[in-house]
Amino acid sequence: LDSAIAHHLISPDIQLQTPIRKEPFCGSEGYIELLSYLRKSFSDIQWTLDEMIAEGDAVACRFTVRGTHTGDFMGFSATNRPIKYNAMNIYHFTDGKIVGEFALPDIMSVLFQIDGIPIEK
């Protein structure tokens, strides 16, 4: 992610709550940190926007995420396995900047795919 674009689009006051850590990622630098972490964990990660609904200052997006587990993710070493999961994000905008985001990625699905949670067979 280009930091100039992040600074242009992301409010410095944003707090990004995600299930991958207890503390929120803060401001445009936090957003860059989050995306960098995901790119290190899944080097070829891609988000496909499947659906978007907007009302007032809120935009809800449904994504399909694909990649390969090539780096540490939530304490689990790389497996080089392909992953695919869904995510729902709700963004809030003020004056053209994202001032809030609630992310709901299907982390359980990712953990199953990288053997972070065993599945009985």
Side-chain angles (χ1 to χ4, degrees), residues 42 65 73 81-87 105-117 119:
F42 308 100
V65 185
F73 180 69
R81 291 185 177 169
I83 56 102
K84 178 182 173 185
Y85 66 96
N86 295 307
D106 185 0
I107 294 296
M108 290 292 287
S109 176
V110 176
L111 294 176
F112 283 129
Q113 293 173 68
I114 64 171
D115 281 342
I117 299 174
I119 300 175

Side-chain angles (χ1 to χ4, degrees), residues 1 5-6 8 10-11 27-29 36 40 56 63-64 66 69 76 96 100-102 104-105 113-114 117:
L1 178 66
I5 293 172
H8 180 73
I10 310 294
S11 168
S28 55
E29 293 303 321
S36 294
K40 286 177 185 171
F63 298 95
T64 299
R66 293 176 177 86
H69 182 219
F76 296 98
E101 176 184 4
F102 180 78
L104 206 67
Q113 293 173 68
I114 64 171
I117 299 174

Side-chain angles (χ1 to χ4, degrees), residues 6 33 58-59 72 80 85 99:
E33 180 185 355
V59 177
D72 182 77
N80 293 311
Y85 66 96
V99 296

Side-chain angles (χ1 to χ4, degrees), residues 73-93:
F73 180 69
M74 296 181 66
F76 296 98
S77 298
T79 62
N80 293 311
R81 291 185 177 169
I83 56 102
K84 178 182 173 185
Y85 66 96
N86 295 307
M88 291 281 303
N89 293 8
I90 300 173
Y91 303 93
H92 290 273
F93 289 83

